[in-house]
Amino acid sequence: MALWVIGSASAQGVPPAKVELTVAAGAPDAEQKRALSHGQGDERDDEPSDAEMEEARRTGKSSAGAGLSGTVGRVFTEHAPDGWFGRLELEGVVASRFEGAGAVGGVTLGGELWLAGESGGGGLPVSFWLGYRTPALIGSLGLGALMFEIDEVDGDRGFGIYAPFATAALGVELGGTRLLADARALYRWQWGAPDRAQLQLGLRMVHFIERPTRPAKQRPRQGMLR
C-alpha cells in the first residue's frame, strides 16, 4: 500500500516536494500460519480412509468399536413360573485384529425386564466378557452384576444391589452384525424377599461399528512457536 503526499511550492521557487510513504502488508510467515491453524484439524482425520482400513485388515492391527444389542428369550426362576425376558444393552468392544481372527473382549451396560405370570422384575446389568472370533464365528464367557434390581414373586417384593451373574455366548458375525445364542445364570439376592437363582436363555443380536486403532497424535507444546 502506497500513500502519496505533495507539498506546495516555497516562496524561493523550490519545486513542490513529493513524499512517498509506503506501508508493507506482508502475509504471515510459516510459523504464524501454523499458529493460526492450530486446533483446526481436518474432519477426515476422525474417519479412516478405505486405504487405511484395507491396510489394517492386511497387517492385523488391533481395533475398537461400540454397538447396541438386544436379547429376548425364556427365563427360568427358582420357585416361580417360567416366563420371558428382554434385555437392551450398550456394548464396547476391543479386538486384537481388526475384522480378523483373534482375541476379543468387551463391556456391556443396559437394562433388563422379566415376566412370568404374576411375577416379574428387572435390573441394570453391567458385565465384562472375553472371547475369541474367527472370520465368521465368535464365542465368549463373562461375569457381571445387577447394579440395581427389583423383583416380585408371589406378592413378595424385594430390592437388591450387586447381584452376580455369569454369561456365555456363541454365534456368527458378519459385516458389523452378530447373532448369538446367549445364556445368563444369575443369583438374585435381595432384601424383603427370598433370594432366587435364575437362568435366562435367549437370542441376541448386536449391531456395532469397528475401527482400527490409531496412535495418539503429537500436538505442539504451547510457547514453542518462534
Side-chain angles (χ1 to χ4, degrees):
M1 178 175 65
L3 178 64
W4 298 86
V5 180
I6 301 177
S8 60
S10 64
Q12 290 78 15
V14 178
K18 183 173 69 173
V19 180
E20 179 181 351
L21 177 61
T22 304
V23 180
D29 60 19
E31 292 291 349
Q32 289 174 315
K33 288 182 179 179
R34 281 195 290 269
L36 291 173
S37 63
H38 179 64
Q40 300 178 1
D42 191 337
E43 294 181 357
R44 294 175 299 177
D45 289 344
D46 296 332
E47 187 71 17
S49 65
D50 292 341
E52 289 176 316
M53 300 273 277
E54 185 58 35
E55 177 69 11
R57 294 186 188 98
R58 186 180 63 81
T59 59
K61 292 185 64 175
S62 60
S63 63
L68 181 67
S69 73
T71 311
V72 294
R74 296 285 287 170
V75 61
F76 308 95
T77 308
E78 186 179 9
H79 306 307
D82 299 342
W84 297 88
F85 79 94
R87 206 162 54 231
L88 188 65
E89 295 171 298
L90 295 174
E91 182 170 334
V93 181
V94 293
S96 60
R97 292 177 62 89
F98 174 58
E99 294 184 353
V104 290
V107 58
T108 64
L109 169 65
E112 63 151 32
L113 178 68
W114 67 276
L115 298 171
E118 299 298 321
S119 303
L124 301 177
V126 176
S127 67
F128 303 87
W129 58 269
L130 292 173
Y132 188 87
R133 70 178 179 184
T134 70
L137 301 177
I138 181 171
S140 68
L141 297 173
L143 294 172
L146 295 176
M147 305 305 293
F148 174 89
E149 63 164 319
I150 296 179
D151 294 333
E152 183 171 345
V153 178
D154 295 331
D156 290 333
R157 180 175 298 174
F159 160 79
I161 57 175
Y162 306 131
F165 63 81
T167 68
L170 179 64
V172 296
E173 177 180 316
L174 181 63
T177 300
R178 293 177 183 153
L179 188 62
L180 307 164
D182 183 273
R184 184 168 292 192
L186 307 92
Y187 191 69
R188 308 183 77 95
W189 59 34
Q190 51 196 329
W191 297 287
D195 300 339
R196 290 180 171 86
Q198 187 180 78
L199 177 64
Q200 298 176 355
L201 299 176
L203 185 65
R204 182 180 183 192
M205 178 175 286
V206 186
H207 183 69
F208 64 97
I209 297 174
E210 181 181 1
R211 292 291 183 265
T213 55
R214 289 178 169 183
K217 290 185 177 180
Q218 297 291 332
R219 291 196 173 188
R221 295 181 181 178
Q222 297 294 332
M224 296 298 291
L225 298 179
R226 295 180 179 177

